[in-house]
Amino acid sequence: KDAPWLSDVEAEILTERAIGATSHTESRLRGNFMTAFGRPFIVILSLIYFLNQIACVGIVFNVPAIVQSLHVHGFFMIGLVSGTAGIGGTIGVLVIPRIYRRFENEASMVGILAGLTALISIAYTMTSSPTLKIILIGAGMLFILGTLPVFWSIAMARMSGLMAVAGLAFINTIGLVGGFVGPYLFGLAQTKTGNPAAGFTVVIWCSILGALLALGLHFALRREDAAAALQRDEDAAAALALRATSRA
């Protein structure tokens, strides 16, 4: 409407290019389930988010019991020390996106964060120092929650319109299931060992699986971006052909 010198077809092509070749601007979900839910990078992101939420919610729900097991007494002190997890998560959300801007490979950042979480969790299980354990809880949450801005930027860069609504809802739903599973697995580990900190074994395995999935995400994103580039080239060629035809 703001460019009357363009034909309707040219305007449509340029609009599609402006919002992204991978935006999938289908106007209805029916018949487009694979586009919304079945693209490889969406499935892998859903699984990574599932594992992330197992670790995140598992720690958040159990950190007061873990702090109490470290011989911290009194409701106020337990609550105060437990806040270390939230402080670490807040720092991660603020700092990691700034570091992420320097990375060209998005999936590698997800893998690095998952690997660092695994290493911190292993260190937690190996140390006997209460002070160091509390610091490691905060550091672990820094990387776990710091992953989320990176995670959602990957998803939003490749989805828009109705397909974005459906795809993001799907990813979030899978993540919410992880949020339910996490405390259950932590409780199961604690019941079998009698140690509230045994849940960090769950964090270790979730982080390792997340790092492995990040490798698959790398190839899935390359495939998605290659298809986007091909679509952009085709749209550009079509636009040039239409312009040449209109001038003739």
Side-chain angles (χ1 to χ4, degrees):
K1 293 181 181 179
D2 296 330
W5 58 87
L6 295 175
S7 68
D8 292 339
V9 176
E10 289 176 324
E12 182 178 353
I13 290 174
L14 291 175
T15 300
E16 290 177 355
R17 291 180 63 192
I19 62 177
T22 59
S23 58
H24 298 283
T25 56
E26 289 82 354
S27 60
R28 63 179 183 176
L29 188 58
R30 183 178 179 182
N32 294 302
F33 283 94
M34 286 302 295
T35 300
F37 309 128
R39 284 184 282 169
F41 88 94
I42 293 178
V43 175
I44 296 174
L45 280 176
S46 300
L47 294 175
I48 293 174
Y49 191 40
F50 174 77
L51 295 169
N52 177 278
Q53 290 301 289
I54 288 178
C56 178
V57 180
I59 292 175
V60 169
F61 268 68
N62 288 276
V63 72
I66 294 173
V67 170
Q68 187 176 24
S69 72
L70 299 176
H71 308 294
V72 177
H73 303 290
F75 293 123
F76 176 77
M77 287 304 300
I78 291 173
L80 185 65
V81 176
S82 297
T84 304
I87 294 172
T90 301
I91 294 173
V93 170
L94 294 175
V95 173
I96 288 180
R98 297 179 181 274
I99 300 174
Y100 167 63
R101 295 173 187 170
R102 303 179 182 180
F103 275 75
E104 294 182 1
N105 191 321
E106 300 162 303
S108 67
M109 187 66 173
V110 176
I112 289 171
L113 293 174
L116 289 173
T117 302
L119 291 175
I120 287 173
S121 300
I122 292 171
Y124 180 93
T125 61
M126 295 177 66
T127 184
S128 58
S129 169
T131 302
L132 185 56
K133 281 181 178 287
I134 291 171
I135 293 173
L136 289 172
I137 290 174
M141 290 301 293
L142 185 152
F143 294 119
I144 291 171
L145 285 180
T147 303
L148 297 183
V150 178
F151 176 89
W152 290 116
S153 70
I154 292 173
M156 288 300 299
R158 294 165 176 85
M159 292 188 284
S160 67
L162 179 61
M163 295 302 103
V165 174
L168 294 175
F170 174 74
I171 294 171
N172 196 49
T173 299
I174 300 300
L176 290 175
V177 174
F180 170 80
V181 173
Y184 175 79
L185 292 179
F186 266 67
L188 188 64
Q190 179 180 348
T191 301
K192 288 192 172 185
T193 63
N195 181 7
F200 271 85
T201 304
V202 176
V203 179
I204 292 171
W205 284 109
C206 286
S207 301
I208 292 173
L209 291 174
L212 293 175
L213 284 171
L215 181 61
L217 180 63
H218 168 72
F219 293 106
L221 292 178
R222 285 182 60 182
R223 178 181 175 183
E224 185 76 15
D225 293 343
L230 179 61
Q231 185 64 49
R232 283 195 299 269
D233 291 341
E234 292 176 353
D235 289 345
L240 289 173
L242 285 171
R243 179 166 294 182
T245 302
S246 63
R247 288 178 178 177

CSV table of all heavy atoms in Angstrom, one decimal, residues 164-215:
chain,number,residue,atom,x,y,z
A,164,ALA,N,4.7,-19.5,14.2
A,164,ALA,CA,5.4,-19.2,15.4
A,164,ALA,C,4.6,-19.4,16.6
A,164,ALA,O,5.1,-19.9,17.6
A,164,ALA,CB,5.9,-17.7,15.3
A,165,VAL,N,3.3,-19.0,16.6
A,165,VAL,CA,2.5,-19.2,17.7
A,165,VAL,C,2.4,-20.7,18.0
A,165,VAL,O,2.5,-21.1,19.2
A,165,VAL,CB,1.1,-18.6,17.4
A,165,VAL,CG1,0.1,-19.0,18.5
A,165,VAL,CG2,1.1,-17.1,17.2
A,166,ALA,N,2.1,-21.5,17.0
A,166,ALA,CA,2.0,-22.9,17.2
A,166,ALA,C,3.3,-23.6,17.6
A,166,ALA,O,3.3,-24.4,18.6
A,166,ALA,CB,1.4,-23.6,16.0
A,167,GLY,N,4.4,-23.2,17.0
A,167,GLY,CA,5.7,-23.8,17.3
A,167,GLY,C,6.2,-23.5,18.7
A,167,GLY,O,6.6,-24.3,19.4
A,168,LEU,N,6.0,-22.2,19.0
A,168,LEU,CA,6.5,-21.8,20.4
A,168,LEU,C,5.6,-22.4,21.5
A,168,LEU,O,6.1,-22.7,22.5
A,168,LEU,CB,6.5,-20.2,20.5
A,168,LEU,CG,7.5,-19.5,19.6
A,168,LEU,CD1,7.3,-18.0,19.7
A,168,LEU,CD2,8.9,-19.9,19.9
A,169,ALA,N,4.3,-22.5,21.2
A,169,ALA,CA,3.4,-23.2,22.2
A,169,ALA,C,3.8,-24.6,22.4
A,169,ALA,O,3.8,-25.2,23.5
A,169,ALA,CB,2.0,-23.0,21.7
A,170,PHE,N,4.2,-25.3,21.3
A,170,PHE,CA,4.6,-26.7,21.3
A,170,PHE,C,5.9,-26.8,22.1
A,170,PHE,O,6.0,-27.7,23.0
A,170,PHE,CB,4.8,-27.2,19.9
A,170,PHE,CG,5.4,-28.6,19.8
A,170,PHE,CD1,4.6,-29.7,20.1
A,170,PHE,CD2,6.7,-28.8,19.5
A,170,PHE,CE1,5.2,-31.0,20.1
A,170,PHE,CE2,7.3,-30.0,19.4
A,170,PHE,CZ,6.5,-31.2,19.7
A,171,ILE,N,6.9,-26.0,21.9
A,171,ILE,CA,8.1,-26.0,22.6
A,171,ILE,C,7.9,-25.8,24.1
A,171,ILE,O,8.4,-26.5,24.9
A,171,ILE,CB,9.1,-25.0,22.0
A,171,ILE,CG1,9.5,-25.4,20.6
A,171,ILE,CG2,10.4,-24.9,22.9
A,171,ILE,CD1,10.3,-24.3,19.9
A,172,ASN,N,7.1,-24.8,24.4
A,172,ASN,CA,6.8,-24.4,25.8
A,172,ASN,C,6.1,-25.5,26.5
A,172,ASN,O,6.3,-25.8,27.7
A,172,ASN,CB,6.0,-23.1,25.8
A,172,ASN,CG,6.0,-22.5,27.2
A,172,ASN,OD1,7.1,-22.3,27.8
A,172,ASN,ND2,4.9,-22.1,27.7
A,173,THR,N,5.2,-26.2,25.8
A,173,THR,CA,4.4,-27.3,26.4
A,173,THR,C,5.4,-28.4,26.8
A,173,THR,O,5.3,-29.0,27.9
A,173,THR,CB,3.3,-27.8,25.5
A,173,THR,OG1,2.4,-26.7,25.2
A,173,THR,CG2,2.6,-28.9,26.1
A,174,ILE,N,6.3,-28.8,25.9
A,174,ILE,CA,7.2,-29.8,26.2
A,174,ILE,C,8.1,-29.4,27.4
A,174,ILE,O,8.4,-30.2,28.3
A,174,ILE,CB,8.1,-30.1,25.0
A,174,ILE,CG1,7.3,-30.6,23.8
A,174,ILE,CG2,9.1,-31.2,25.3
A,174,ILE,CD1,6.4,-31.8,24.0
A,175,GLY,N,8.5,-28.1,27.4
A,175,GLY,CA,9.3,-27.6,28.6
A,175,GLY,C,8.5,-27.7,29.9
A,175,GLY,O,9.1,-28.1,30.9
A,176,LEU,N,7.2,-27.4,29.9
A,176,LEU,CA,6.4,-27.5,31.1
A,176,LEU,C,6.4,-28.9,31.6
A,176,LEU,O,6.3,-29.1,32.8
A,176,LEU,CB,5.0,-27.0,30.8
A,176,LEU,CG,4.9,-25.4,30.6
A,176,LEU,CD1,3.5,-25.1,30.2
A,176,LEU,CD2,5.4,-24.7,31.8
A,177,VAL,N,6.3,-29.9,30.7
A,177,VAL,CA,6.3,-31.3,31.1
A,177,VAL,C,7.7,-31.6,31.9
A,177,VAL,O,7.7,-32.3,32.9
A,177,VAL,CB,6.2,-32.2,29.9
A,177,VAL,CG1,6.3,-33.7,30.3
A,177,VAL,CG2,4.8,-32.0,29.3
A,178,GLY,N,8.8,-31.0,31.3
A,178,GLY,CA,10.0,-31.2,32.0
A,178,GLY,C,10.0,-30.5,33.4
A,178,GLY,O,10.6,-31.1,34.3
A,179,GLY,N,9.3,-29.4,33.5
A,179,GLY,CA,9.2,-28.8,34.8
A,179,GLY,C,8.5,-29.6,35.8
A,179,GLY,O,8.7,-29.5,37.0
A,180,PHE,N,7.6,-30.5,35.4
A,180,PHE,CA,6.9,-31.4,36.2
A,180,PHE,C,7.8,-32.6,36.6
A,180,PHE,O,7.8,-33.1,37.7
A,180,PHE,CB,5.6,-31.9,35.6
A,180,PHE,CG,4.9,-33.1,36.3
A,180,PHE,CD1,4.1,-32.8,37.4
A,180,PHE,CD2,5.1,-34.4,35.9
A,180,PHE,CE1,3.5,-33.9,38.1
A,180,PHE,CE2,4.5,-35.4,36.5
A,180,PHE,CZ,3.7,-35.2,37.6
A,181,VAL,N,8.5,-33.1,35.6
A,181,VAL,CA,9.3,-34.3,35.7
A,181,VAL,C,10.5,-34.0,36.7
A,181,VAL,O,10.9,-34.9,37.4
A,181,VAL,CB,9.8,-34.8,34.4
A,181,VAL,CG1,10.8,-35.9,34.5
A,181,VAL,CG2,8.6,-35.3,33.5
A,182,GLY,N,11.1,-32.8,36.6
A,182,GLY,CA,12.3,-32.5,37.3
A,182,GLY,C,12.2,-32.7,38.8
A,182,GLY,O,13.0,-33.5,39.4
A,183,PRO,N,11.2,-32.1,39.5
A,183,PRO,CA,11.1,-32.3,41.0
A,183,PRO,C,10.8,-33.8,41.3
A,183,PRO,O,11.3,-34.3,42.3
A,183,PRO,CB,9.9,-31.5,41.4
A,183,PRO,CG,9.9,-30.4,40.3
A,183,PRO,CD,10.3,-31.0,39.1
A,184,TYR,N,10.1,-34.5,40.4
A,184,TYR,CA,9.8,-35.9,40.7
A,184,TYR,C,11.1,-36.7,40.6
A,184,TYR,O,11.4,-37.6,41.5
A,184,TYR,CB,8.9,-36.5,39.6
A,184,TYR,CG,8.6,-37.9,39.7
A,184,TYR,CD1,7.8,-38.5,40.7
A,184,TYR,CD2,9.3,-38.8,38.8
A,184,TYR,CE1,7.6,-39.8,40.7
A,184,TYR,CE2,9.1,-40.2,38.9
A,184,TYR,CZ,8.3,-40.7,39.9
A,184,TYR,OH,8.1,-42.1,40.0
A,185,LEU,N,12.0,-36.5,39.6
A,185,LEU,CA,13.3,-37.2,39.5
A,185,LEU,C,14.2,-36.8,40.7
A,185,LEU,O,14.9,-37.7,41.2
A,185,LEU,CB,13.9,-36.9,38.2
A,185,LEU,CG,13.2,-37.4,37.0
A,185,LEU,CD1,14.0,-37.0,35.7
A,185,LEU,CD2,13.1,-38.9,37.0
A,186,PHE,N,14.2,-35.6,41.1
A,186,PHE,CA,15.0,-35.2,42.3
A,186,PHE,C,14.5,-35.9,43.5
A,186,PHE,O,15.3,-36.4,44.3
A,186,PHE,CB,14.9,-33.6,42.5
A,186,PHE,CG,16.0,-32.9,41.8
A,186,PHE,CD1,16.1,-32.8,40.4
A,186,PHE,CD2,16.9,-32.2,42.6
A,186,PHE,CE1,17.1,-32.1,39.8
A,186,PHE,CE2,17.9,-31.4,42.0
A,186,PHE,CZ,18.0,-31.4,40.6
A,187,GLY,N,13.2,-35.9,43.7
A,187,GLY,CA,12.7,-36.6,44.8
A,187,GLY,C,13.0,-38.1,44.8
A,187,GLY,O,13.2,-38.7,45.9
A,188,LEU,N,12.9,-38.7,43.6
A,188,LEU,CA,13.2,-40.1,43.5
A,188,LEU,C,14.7,-40.4,43.9
A,188,LEU,O,15.0,-41.4,44.6
A,188,LEU,CB,12.9,-40.6,42.1
A,188,LEU,CG,13.0,-42.1,41.8
A,188,LEU,CD1,12.0,-42.8,42.6
A,188,LEU,CD2,12.8,-42.3,40.3
A,189,ALA,N,15.6,-39.5,43.4
A,189,ALA,CA,17.0,-39.7,43.7
A,189,ALA,C,17.2,-39.5,45.2
A,189,ALA,O,18.0,-40.3,45.8
A,189,ALA,CB,17.8,-38.7,42.9
A,190,GLN,N,16.6,-38.6,45.8
A,190,GLN,CA,16.7,-38.4,47.3
A,190,GLN,C,16.2,-39.5,48.1
A,190,GLN,O,16.8,-39.9,49.1
A,190,GLN,CB,16.0,-37.1,47.7
A,190,GLN,CG,16.1,-36.8,49.2
A,190,GLN,CD,15.3,-35.5,49.5
A,190,GLN,OE1,14.9,-34.7,48.7
A,190,GLN,NE2,15.2,-35.3,50.8
A,191,THR,N,15.0,-40.1,47.6
A,191,THR,CA,14.5,-41.2,48.3
A,191,THR,C,15.4,-42.4,48.3
A,191,THR,O,15.5,-43.2,49.3
A,191,THR,CB,13.1,-41.6,47.7
A,191,THR,OG1,12.2,-40.4,47.8
A,191,THR,CG2,12.5,-42.8,48.4
A,192,LYS,N,16.0,-42.7,47.2
A,192,LYS,CA,16.8,-43.9,47.0
A,192,LYS,C,18.2,-43.7,47.8
A,192,LYS,O,18.8,-44.7,48.2
A,192,LYS,CB,17.1,-44.1,45.6
A,192,LYS,CG,15.9,-44.7,44.8
A,192,LYS,CD,16.3,-45.3,43.5
A,192,LYS,CE,15.1,-46.0,42.9
A,192,LYS,NZ,15.4,-46.6,41.6
A,193,THR,N,18.7,-42.5,47.9
A,193,THR,CA,20.0,-42.3,48.5
A,193,THR,C,19.9,-41.7,49.9
A,193,THR,O,20.9,-41.8,50.7
A,193,THR,CB,20.9,-41.4,47.6
A,193,THR,OG1,20.2,-40.1,47.5
A,193,THR,CG2,21.0,-41.9,46.2
A,194,GLY,N,18.8,-41.0,50.2
A,194,GLY,CA,18.7,-40.3,51.5
A,194,GLY,C,19.5,-39.0,51.5
A,194,GLY,O,19.6,-38.4,52.6
A,195,ASN,N,19.9,-38.6,50.3
A,195,ASN,CA,20.7,-37.3,50.2
A,195,ASN,C,20.0,-36.3,49.3
A,195,ASN,O,19.8,-36.6,48.2
A,195,ASN,CB,22.1,-37.6,49.7
A,195,ASN,CG,23.0,-36.4,49.6
A,195,ASN,OD1,22.6,-35.3,50.1
A,195,ASN,ND2,24.2,-36.6,49.0
A,196,PRO,N,19.6,-35.1,49.9
A,196,PRO,CA,18.9,-34.2,49.0
A,196,PRO,C,19.7,-33.7,47.8
A,196,PRO,O,19.2,-33.3,46.8
A,196,PRO,CB,18.7,-33.0,50.0
A,196,PRO,CG,18.7,-33.6,51.4
A,196,PRO,CD,19.7,-34.7,51.3
A,197,ALA,N,21.1,-33.8,47.9
A,197,ALA,CA,21.9,-33.3,46.8
A,197,ALA,C,22.0,-34.4,45.7
A,197,ALA,O,22.7,-34.1,44.7
A,197,ALA,CB,23.3,-33.0,47.4
A,198,ALA,N,21.5,-35.6,45.9
A,198,ALA,CA,21.6,-36.6,44.9
A,198,ALA,C,20.9,-36.2,43.6
A,198,ALA,O,21.2,-36.8,42.6
A,198,ALA,CB,21.0,-37.9,45.4
A,199,GLY,N,20.0,-35.3,43.7
A,199,GLY,CA,19.3,-34.8,42.5
A,199,GLY,C,20.3,-34.2,41.4
A,199,GLY,O,20.0,-34.1,40.3
A,200,PHE,N,21.5,-33.8,41.9
A,200,PHE,CA,22.4,-33.2,40.9
A,200,PHE,C,23.0,-34.3,39.9
A,200,PHE,O,23.5,-33.9,38.9
A,200,PHE,CB,23.6,-32.6,41.7
A,200,PHE,CG,23.3,-31.1,42.0
A,200,PHE,CD1,22.6,-30.8,43.1
A,200,PHE,CD2,23.8,-30.1,41.1
A,200,PHE,CE1,22.4,-29.4,43.4
A,200,PHE,CE2,23.5,-28.8,41.4
A,200,PHE,CZ,22.8,-28.5,42.5
A,201,THR,N,22.8,-35.5,40.3
A,201,THR,CA,23.0,-36.6,39.3
A,201,THR,C,22.1,-36.4,38.1
A,201,THR,O,22.5,-36.6,36.9
A,201,THR,CB,22.9,-38.0,39.9
A,201,THR,OG1,23.7,-38.1,41.0
A,201,THR,CG2,23.3,-39.1,38.9
A,202,VAL,N,20.9,-36.0,38.4
A,202,VAL,CA,19.9,-35.8,37.3
A,202,VAL,C,20.3,-34.6,36.4
A,202,VAL,O,20.3,-34.6,35.2
A,202,VAL,CB,18.5,-35.5,37.9
A,202,VAL,CG1,17.5,-35.1,36.8
A,202,VAL,CG2,18.0,-36.7,38.7
A,203,VAL,N,20.8,-33.6,37.1
A,203,VAL,CA,21.3,-32.4,36.4
A,203,VAL,C,22.5,-32.8,35.5
A,203,VAL,O,22.6,-32.3,34.3
A,203,VAL,CB,21.7,-31.3,37.3
A,203,VAL,CG1,22.3,-30.1,36.6
A,203,VAL,CG2,20.6,-30.9,38.2
A,204,ILE,N,23.4,-33.6,36.0
A,204,ILE,CA,24.5,-34.0,35.2
A,204,ILE,C,24.1,-34.7,33.9
A,204,ILE,O,24.5,-34.4,32.8
A,204,ILE,CB,25.4,-35.0,36.0
A,204,ILE,CG1,26.1,-34.2,37.1
A,204,ILE,CG2,26.5,-35.6,35.1
A,204,ILE,CD1,26.8,-35.1,38.1
A,205,TRP,N,23.2,-35.7,34.0
A,205,TRP,CA,22.7,-36.4,32.8
A,205,TRP,C,21.9,-35.6,31.9
A,205,TRP,O,22.1,-35.7,30.7
A,205,TRP,CB,21.9,-37.7,33.3
A,205,TRP,CG,22.8,-38.8,33.8
A,205,TRP,CD1,23.0,-39.2,35.0
A,205,TRP,CD2,23.7,-39.6,33.0
A,205,TRP,NE1,23.9,-40.2,35.1
A,205,TRP,CE2,24.4,-40.5,33.9
A,205,TRP,CE3,24.1,-39.6,31.6
A,205,TRP,CZ2,25.3,-41.4,33.4
A,205,TRP,CZ3,25.0,-40.5,31.2
A,205,TRP,CH2,25.6,-41.4,32.1
A,206,CYS,N,21.1,-34.7,32.4
A,206,CYS,CA,20.3,-33.8,31.6
A,206,CYS,C,21.2,-32.9,30.8
A,206,CYS,O,21.0,-32.6,29.6
A,206,CYS,CB,19.3,-33.0,32.4
A,206,CYS,SG,17.9,-33.9,33.0
A,207,SER,N,22.3,-32.4,31.4
A,207,SER,CA,23.2,-31.5,30.8
A,207,SER,C,24.0,-32.2,29.7
A,207,SER,O,24.3,-31.6,28.6
A,207,SER,CB,24.2,-30.9,31.8
A,207,SER,OG,23.5,-30.2,32.8
A,208,ILE,N,24.4,-33.4,30.0
A,208,ILE,CA,25.2,-34.2,29.0
A,208,ILE,C,24.3,-34.5,27.8
A,208,ILE,O,24.7,-34.3,26.6
A,208,ILE,CB,25.7,-35.5,29.6
A,208,ILE,CG1,26.8,-35.2,30.6
A,208,ILE,CG2,26.2,-36.4,28.5
A,208,ILE,CD1,27.2,-36.5,31.4
A,209,LEU,N,23.0,-34.9,28.0
A,209,LEU,CA,22.1,-35.1,26.9
A,209,LEU,C,21.8,-33.8,26.1
A,209,LEU,O,21.7,-33.8,24.9
A,209,LEU,CB,20.8,-35.7,27.4
A,209,LEU,CG,20.9,-37.1,27.9
A,209,LEU,CD1,19.5,-37.5,28.6
A,209,LEU,CD2,21.2,-38.1,26.8
A,210,GLY,N,21.7,-32.7,26.9
A,210,GLY,CA,21.5,-31.4,26.2
A,210,GLY,C,22.7,-31.0,25.3
A,210,GLY,O,22.5,-30.5,24.2
A,211,ALA,N,23.9,-31.3,25.8
A,211,ALA,CA,25.1,-31.0,24.9
A,211,ALA,C,25.1,-31.8,23.7
A,211,ALA,O,25.5,-31.3,22.6
A,211,ALA,CB,26.4,-31.2,25.8
A,212,LEU,N,24.7,-33.1,23.8
A,212,LEU,CA,24.7,-34.0,22.6
A,212,LEU,C,23.6,-33.5,21.6
A,212,LEU,O,23.8,-33.5,20.4
A,212,LEU,CB,24.4,-35.4,23.1
A,212,LEU,CG,25.5,-36.1,23.8
A,212,LEU,CD1,25.1,-37.5,24.3
A,212,LEU,CD2,26.8,-36.2,23.0
A,213,LEU,N,22.4,-33.1,22.2
A,213,LEU,CA,21.4,-32.6,21.3
A,213,LEU,C,21.8,-31.3,20.6
A,213,LEU,O,21.3,-31.0,19.5
A,213,LEU,CB,20.1,-32.4,22.2
A,213,LEU,CG,19.3,-33.6,22.5
A,213,LEU,CD1,18.2,-33.3,23.5
A,213,LEU,CD2,18.7,-34.3,21.3
A,214,ALA,N,22.6,-30.5,21.3
A,214,ALA,CA,23.1,-29.3,20.7
A,214,ALA,C,23.9,-29.6,19.4
A,214,ALA,O,23.8,-28.8,18.4
A,214,ALA,CB,24.0,-28.5,21.6
A,215,LEU,N,24.6,-30.7,19.3
A,215,LEU,CA,25.2,-31.1,18.1
A,215,LEU,C,24.2,-31.4,17.0
A,215,LEU,O,24.4,-30.9,15.9
A,215,LEU,CB,26.1,-32.3,18.4
A,215,LEU,CG,26.9,-32.9,17.2
A,215,LEU,CD1,27.9,-31.8,16.7
A,215,LEU,CD2,27.6,-34.2,17.6
